[in-house]
Amino acid sequence: MIEIRFHGRGGQGAVTAAEILAKAAFQDGKYSQAFPFFGVERRGAPVLAFSRIDDKPIRQRYQVYEPNYVIVQDDGLLKVVDVFSGLKKRGKVILNTKNSVEVKEEYDVYKIDATGIALDILGVPIVNTVMLGAFAAATGEVSLDSIIKIIKETFPGKIGEKNAEAAKIAYNQIKG
Amino acid sequence: MVLKIATANRAVAEAAKLSNVNVIPVYPITPATSIAEYLAKFVADGEMDAEYVRVESEHSAMSVAIGASSTGARVFTATSSQGLALMHEVLFIAAGMRAPIVMANANRALSAPLSIWNDQQDSISERDSGWIQIYAENAQEALDFVIQSYRITEHPEVLLPAMVCLDGFILTHTVEPVDVPEKEVVSDFVSTYKPANAILDPENPMSIGTFTDPNYYMEARHDMYNAMINSKNIIRNVNKEFGEIFGREYDFVENYRCDDAEIIIVAMGSVCGTVKDVIDEIRREGEKVGLLKLRVFRPFPTDEINAVVKNADKIAVLDKNVSFDIGGALYNEIKAKLDVDAYGFIIGLGGRDVTPEHIRKIVKETKKPEKDVQWIGLREEEI
Amino acid sequence: MKITEKEFLAPGHRACAGCGEPIGVRLALKVLGENTIAVSPTGCLEVITSPYPETAWEIPWIHVAFENAGAVASGVEAALKSLGRKSNVVVFAGDGGTADIGFQSLSGAMERNHDIIYICIDNEAYMNTGVQRSGATPYGASTMTSPAGKKSFGEDKPKKNLPMIMVAHNVPYVATASISYPEDFMKKVKKASETEGSSYIHLHQPCTTGWGFDPSKTIELGRLAVETGAWILYEVENGDFKVTYRPAQRKPLIEYLKAQKRFKHLKEAEVAMLQDYVDRTCSEYGV
Amino acid sequence: MTSTGAVVKKPGSTRNTKTGSWRTFKPIIDMDKCIDCENCYLFCPEGCINKEYEIDYDYCKGCGICATECPVKAVKMERE
């Protein structure tokens, strides 16, 4: 079982990202689960969402406390939330930033300017699909094809196409 | 069968769509709201041929449901927590009028203090309303139980409404794989509603919801009591038939590694999944622990529970509800109906996460119990 | 107006001798006919007509609770629609189940414009439980919960204007009526039955027990209410207001008041105040 | 006994209860005076006067509305 924790701000689509990831993993033939820590937070406040992926049906129903991966959709969160909390040793962090951010050595941090990609491609700073492309590249836990398929299902039409393109750019950037 | 990945709320709405429902009176409330939204969309898109009544309260939702059901329509509604509490009066009436209504309840804590998160205080507080109560562990069960409920409630020997309970957020907002059966198969299974007892029809006038004096009230309630007892047979048969058609078998209880268990945990709803995982771990460490998952809370399957737990040394009963001073409802019912050494644990109120550590603690406490009833997972620091 | 001789409310019901409520129900059902489903909230009518194992109803009838007749009727109508059946759906509700506890569910039903006829049979207090005031209790009436006393002249608020609140819901047909004007009432029921969408009829009904008058005078009291202007007969059809009966010469209110025990306590000044209130209302409505 | 939902499937069955016993005064119609106005028929709370102006005394509670509303005083209330 692998567990993923999403850190975002209300309105950035962290909950949708967790669901797209679960659906993509399911598309890859795995079992998966995604759920928000559903607060009453409004737009802008820090939010949490979780995904689990496994080869067998997932029964457990509690929050993710020791993730294998953490996705941080906004580097501003580093100052207010301990995004590394419980992260497994050698766990990977996918971090949206264009700055040089100091992080602990025990984690593998993948930095990506997702906001820049989102602004270029989508014209709005919504980074959830971009981060999923980066996640697929950094971890290999889910295929880019499935991510793209589910993104297009989630956002039909042109918006879906653009989001898929943004995810692909992020994927390629991480892959180098 | 179509394997989808969906929330339990989506699964429940799909189940209503598949079940040839005629009338949907519903008032949105967190965390049941998306059920109301999905159904509204199904009707708006012509995927579902039903009357969607946008009522102004849950009290009216259940009242519309009774009116529609009494006119011969198959009815579905959904609610949660304060909404269920607002329905309280009409829940008793629906059961007393023997209206075979099916409702999903997204289990959520009751105020005060205000909480939108999960526990089961809301439905447990309606346990004496005369409704059949079934608790789902996952989205699949939520879908299956809604479909089954139409067959159970509409059976002439039952005619009691049924409440399918699914834990708020933990199920309602979690996406996971769900088998959505084909429309034709479900349609054959549930057929269309044919009123067996009462119907408002000018061709055959009858008076429904009459006034009884002390000469007659007790008999009506006694009939309900018998109907609840009779429903056990019907539930058993429906389970069997459902299993044959859909390949998923359910019983009143699920026996998870109980046969040689020294300690058996008894629980309802979504927490059972976590408990199963913890039991697997503990068993690897050499301890004999099992889970009895209670699926049907009303009617109360005393014999079925007893058959599973009778050889255990100790029983740990988990309750996401509390009856003040005497512990959880399930704990008290187990104590009252069975001759077992049982201990009660209050868990997960108001959305408090129930973790494997909590389950381990419960097993530990059950081995050397210090108190009859304990609260697990309380914060220790002061605010 | 041609009406059936058939009775749809059987005798043997348990109403007080001289009760006006079954009169209203009988007359309405004579217009609506047998293809009608009736809904009643809790109240006098429900109790007197459905003493299990008997029923006075010759047509299908349902009672669920006190505050939800609007919703129950909505459910009946929605079910008929869904099942492709056609029947009149009529609510016979008291003033408590309409103006007070049932107000929300009525408002919801009217807002959704279900094809139902809601008839509020208004006897101006909770008569079923022994004469407690309701929102429809008129100015100055003494009830068990608005008793006249040293510091009180009885109900201290004017009657809630339910029909106009229904007009504000954009209901296609709203009318007031009185059991003492059967022709007028039955015409309105007929119009209501021909209206697509919701209709609301507010039927004034004297109560021998609650108002305190001889059972033989039920119709007389209803007539006095209209003749004095204490109750005005009108209809509002798609927003168009029309008075349907205008007394040639309005009688002084005191004639209506003095015929009832519930107003017996009123002093001259209070009667004048009530007369003033009626005068103002009548001039507002053009009576 | 059984009573599923206390539904009554015998419409109009309050006829089993003869409320005529509630009566103290009894209306008698003088058909010679009657002008066929239907007032007593329309206003009877029990619906127990038919259009031929026959009173069903099994149910008449003796309220006297028919006597009061008769424009020609054709209805008299007599002590039982």
Side-chain angles (χ1 to χ4, degrees):
Chain A
M1 157 118 47
I2 65 147
E3 298 181 303
I4 305 104
R5 189 169 66 215
F6 291 76
H7 291 274
R9 293 187 183 278
Q12 287 181 337
V15 177
T16 310
E19 287 192 13
I20 292 174
L21 178 56
K23 287 176 180 172
F26 181 65
Q27 178 73 28
D28 284 343
K30 295 183 177 164
Y31 290 93
S32 60
Q33 183 191 66
F35 56 102
F37 178 78
F38 198 94
V40 285
E41 288 83 6
R42 302 307 203 245
R43 197 166 285 272
V47 296
L48 278 180
F50 312 98
S51 298
R52 288 190 172 103
I53 300 171
D54 203 352
D55 297 324
K56 54 184 199 308
I58 299 166
R59 300 185 299 201
Q60 62 202 51
R61 296 287 175 185
Y62 49 94
Q63 290 165 32
V64 170
Y65 295 100
E66 294 176 355
N68 305 76
Y69 307 109
V70 170
I71 296 175
V72 184
Q73 297 200 148
D74 182 338
D75 60 5
L77 290 163
L78 297 173
K79 287 183 215 126
V80 285
V81 185
D82 179 10
V83 300
F84 304 103
S85 166
L87 181 60
K88 289 210 167 84
K89 224 172 178 181
R90 299 269 51 95
K92 293 179 180 174
V93 180
I94 295 94
L95 174 64
N96 173 23
T97 186
K98 59 173 183 168
N99 310 315
S100 54
V101 185
E102 291 253 335
V103 288
K104 296 175 195 165
E105 256 187 28
E106 62 214 85
Y107 308 123
D108 295 337
V109 179
Y110 295 79
K111 293 180 196 169
I112 184 154
D113 180 14
T115 306
I117 296 173
L119 286 172
D120 275 357
I121 309 294
L122 309 172
V124 284
I126 298 175
V127 299
N128 55 354
T129 51
V130 186
M131 296 301 281
L132 288 174
F135 175 84
T139 68
E141 298 286 0
V142 62
S143 70
L144 180 66
D145 287 351
S146 293
I147 290 280
I148 284 176
K149 184 169 187 286
I150 303 299
I151 285 175
K152 287 182 179 171
E153 273 177 26
T154 310
F155 310 103
K158 202 141 190 203
I159 300 173
E161 299 283 343
K162 282 192 172 176
N163 273 281
E165 193 193 335
K168 208 168 171 181
I169 290 171
Y171 182 90
N172 290 332
Q173 234 178 63
I174 294 287
K175 280 281 179 195
Chain B
M1 313 251 165
V2 188
L3 207 54
K4 278 192 183 175
I5 186 154
T7 62
N9 274 0
R10 174 74 194 224
V12 157
E14 294 279 351
K17 183 167 82 174
L18 294 170
S19 300
N20 299 329
V21 166
N22 301 112
V23 178
I24 307 161
V26 62
Y27 187 79
I29 178 169
T30 304
T33 299
S34 60
I35 301 177
E37 293 172 347
Y38 288 126
L39 290 168
K41 190 82 172 94
F42 292 158
V43 174
D45 288 343
E47 285 178 38
M48 197 175 176
D49 183 19
E51 288 295 315
Y52 188 97
V53 188
R54 294 167 181 85
V55 284
E56 78 295 339
S57 75
E58 288 89 354
H59 193 284
S60 281
M62 189 44 60
S63 303
V64 168
I66 294 172
S69 178
S70 303
T71 311
R74 183 175 281 163
V75 179
F76 179 79
T77 185
T79 192
S80 177
S81 182
Q82 307 305 127
L84 190 68
L86 184 58
M87 278 183 192
H88 173 76
E89 178 199 30
V90 218
L91 292 178
F92 278 67
I93 299 174
M97 290 175 76
R98 310 297 294 276
I101 295 161
V102 176
M103 173 165 67
N105 180 61
N107 281 111
R108 163 183 154 186
L110 281 171
S111 223
L114 180 63
S115 166
I116 58 167
W117 290 274
N118 167 249
D119 65 36
Q120 296 170 345
Q121 191 72 55
D122 52 358
S123 53
I124 291 292
S125 300
E126 304 300 342
R127 67 175 184 178
D128 297 333
S129 61
W131 283 61
I132 289 166
Q133 283 197 359
I134 311 180
Y135 286 78
E137 183 194 324
N138 51 43
Q140 186 69 61
E141 291 190 356
L143 179 143
D144 290 347
F145 297 170
V146 167
I147 293 170
Q148 288 194 344
S149 290
Y150 283 104
R151 284 288 301 277
I152 297 164
T153 57
E154 291 170 10
H155 195 284
E157 285 168 40
V158 181
L159 293 175
L160 291 171
M163 195 184 292
V164 175
C165 300
L166 48 152
D167 284 318
F169 295 112
I170 301 170
L171 296 185
T172 60
H173 287 63
T174 297
V175 299
E176 59 187 33
V178 186
D179 235 341
V180 181
E182 300 290 352
K183 170 83 184 164
E184 293 71 34
V185 184
V186 179
S187 219
D188 282 352
F189 183 73
V190 299
S191 75
T192 49
Y193 174 42
K194 284 174 201 69
N197 179 51
I199 180 171
L200 294 169
D201 178 8
E203 300 278 311
N204 181 21
M206 51 183 87
S207 292
I208 306 178
T210 57
F211 179 68
T212 55
D213 69 15
N215 286 313
Y216 299 105
Y217 181 84
M218 255 181 109
E219 281 69 20
R221 303 307 281 186
H222 183 242
D223 282 358
M224 288 170 66
Y225 193 84
N226 285 339
M228 192 58 92
I229 293 170
N230 292 342
S231 73
K232 287 186 187 171
N233 264 332
I234 311 305
I235 293 170
R236 198 172 290 118
N237 295 342
V238 169
N239 279 339
K240 207 164 158 273
E241 201 187 320
F242 187 91
E244 283 162 10
I245 296 170
F246 297 93
R248 288 184 292 274
E249 275 214 49
Y250 298 104
D251 203 340
F252 290 92
V253 300
E254 181 184 328
N255 171 343
Y256 189 80
R257 309 186 77 167
C258 286
D259 292 345
D260 64 340
E262 287 158 6
I263 291 176
I264 292 178
I265 296 171
V266 178
M268 299 195 294
S270 64
V271 75
C272 290
T274 303
V275 173
K276 286 174 189 170
D277 277 3
V278 175
I279 283 173
D280 288 357
E281 283 171 25
I282 296 180
R283 283 225 170 222
R284 277 195 289 275
E285 293 157 16
E287 283 191 60
K288 291 176 175 169
V289 180
L291 164 74
L292 179 132
K293 177 174 96 179
L294 188 63
R295 184 172 84 92
V296 182
F297 179 62
R298 281 292 180 279
F300 194 72
T302 309
D303 295 342
E304 287 80 358
I305 300 172
N306 195 40
V308 176
V309 304
K310 61 174 191 260
N311 294 323
D313 294 340
K314 289 193 170 66
I315 310 294
V317 186
L318 312 192
D319 273 288
K320 283 189 176 182
N321 71 85
V322 58
S323 185
F324 293 99
D325 192 29
I326 64 165
L330 184 53
Y331 161 69
N332 276 287
E333 298 199 352
I334 297 265
K335 287 282 274 187
K337 296 292 282 184
L338 304 168
D339 183 21
V340 289
D341 192 13
Y343 299 88
F345 297 91
I346 308 293
I347 57 162
L349 299 190
R352 179 62 46 85
D353 208 21
V354 181
T355 65
E357 288 65 43
H358 293 155
I359 307 300
R360 283 177 174 274
K361 177 143 200 255
I362 286 165
V363 172
K364 202 174 136 215
E365 294 291 335
T366 306
K367 276 188 247 168
K368 282 192 185 141
E370 282 175 15
K371 283 196 277 185
D372 288 350
V373 176
Q374 292 187 56
W375 290 53
I376 300 296
L378 290 173
R379 296 178 81 95
E380 304 203 337
E381 78 278 15
E382 294 298 322
I383 297 174
Chain C
M1 173 185 248
K2 227 177 132 54
I3 50 165
T4 173
E5 198 169 349
K6 223 166 154 182
E7 295 291 337
F8 297 102
L9 190 74
H13 60 69
R14 317 294 205 256
C16 300
C19 178
E21 199 162 26
I23 301 174
V25 174
R26 280 184 57 231
L27 297 178
L29 290 180
K30 277 175 183 294
V31 176
L32 296 173
E34 62 196 343
N35 188 17
T36 300
I37 296 170
V39 177
S40 293
T42 309
C44 266
L45 184 66
E46 171 254 336
V47 171
I48 64 176
T49 58
S50 74
Y52 185 86
E54 295 177 1
T55 178
W57 299 88
E58 300 277 6
I59 54 162
W61 172 86
I62 184 171
H63 154 257
V64 176
F66 194 5
E67 68 282 52
N68 60 1
V72 175
S74 302
V76 172
E77 185 253 22
L80 292 176
K81 226 184 210 172
S82 168
L83 298 168
R85 287 165 45 192
K86 274 196 179 355
S87 296
N88 295 312
V89 180
V90 63
V91 178
F92 293 112
D95 49 297
T98 302
D100 300 343
I101 195 166
F103 184 69
Q104 175 180 314
S105 120
L106 168 65
S107 177
M110 295 288 123
E111 172 203 320
R112 293 187 298 269
N113 199 25
H114 289 277
D115 194 6
I116 60 174
I117 305 160
Y118 191 106
I119 303 180
C120 169
I121 310 186
D122 179 7
N123 55 24
E124 305 192 321
Y126 297 127
M127 300 315 185
N128 187 36
T129 47
V131 202
Q132 295 81 26
R133 61 86 61 191
S134 81
T137 298
Y139 226 170
S142 180
T143 73
M144 299 302 279
T145 50
S146 62
K150 267 185 202 162
K151 295 184 171 177
S152 161
F153 71 101
E155 175 63 27
D156 61 354
K157 306 275 186 316
K159 189 178 175 75
K160 190 191 268 188
N161 193 342
L162 252 293
M164 281 303 167
I165 296 171
M166 291 304 112
V167 170
H169 280 70
N170 288 320
V171 174
Y173 187 74
V174 175
T176 60
S178 161
I179 60 159
S180 304
Y181 295 79
E183 188 93 355
D184 177 78
F185 171 50
M186 290 190 290
K187 259 192 218 158
K188 287 168 176 170
V189 174
K190 182 95 177 113
K191 267 195 185 171
S193 74
E194 287 160 359
T195 300
E196 241 178 85
S198 298
S199 308
Y200 178 86
I201 300 177
H202 200 106
L203 180 69
H204 198 233
Q205 176 245 305
C207 170
T208 163
T209 311
W211 296 11
F213 59 80
D214 187 84
S216 66
K217 305 247 196 276
T218 302
I219 303 301
E220 207 170 285
L221 260 293
R223 210 176 286 125
L224 268 175
V226 173
E227 294 293 333
T228 55
W231 186 244
I232 299 168
L233 302 181
Y234 64 85
E235 64 185 4
V236 183
E237 226 176 328
N238 295 315
D240 291 335
F241 174 88
K242 192 176 97 191
V243 172
T244 57
Y245 175 82
R246 229 178 227 102
Q249 179 79 51
R250 259 201 299 127
K251 290 182 175 162
L253 184 66
I254 187 70
E255 288 190 29
Y256 176 55
L257 301 179
K258 74 180 182 200
Q260 307 171 53
K261 264 199 196 127
R262 61 176 177 162
F263 295 117
K264 272 277 182 305
H265 59 282
L266 292 176
K267 299 190 183 75
E268 212 170 307
E270 290 155 357
V271 171
M273 190 175 78
L274 296 192
Q275 179 69 64
D276 182 56
Y277 177 73
V278 165
D279 289 346
R280 274 187 286 123
T281 312
C282 282
S283 94
E284 195 185 317
Y285 284 80
V287 173
Chain D
M1 65 168 274
T2 57
S3 140
T4 311
V7 176
V8 179
K9 300 186 180 179
K10 289 180 184 136
S13 47
T14 46
R15 287 195 177 84
N16 297 334
T17 299
K18 309 280 197 256
T19 50
S21 62
W22 297 18
R23 204 167 53 225
T24 313
F25 296 95
K26 181 179 184 175
I28 310 281
I29 303 182
D30 181 348
M31 286 312 291
D32 294 339
K33 287 189 185 167
C34 175
I35 55 163
D36 197 18
C37 73
E38 294 192 352
N39 270 4
C40 57
Y41 161 74
L42 288 174
F43 289 131
C44 176
E46 318 308 318
C48 67
I49 304 175
N50 65 18
K51 276 194 168 173
E52 275 71 53
Y53 306 106
E54 294 157 338
I55 297 170
D56 190 339
Y57 291 109
D58 277 355
Y59 303 107
C60 168
K61 293 170 185 161
C63 68
I65 288 179
C66 49
T68 311
E69 291 308 313
C70 181
V72 292
K73 303 281 169 234
V75 187
K76 279 208 169 56
M77 299 303 289
E78 287 182 5
R79 183 85 187 267
E80 275 288 338

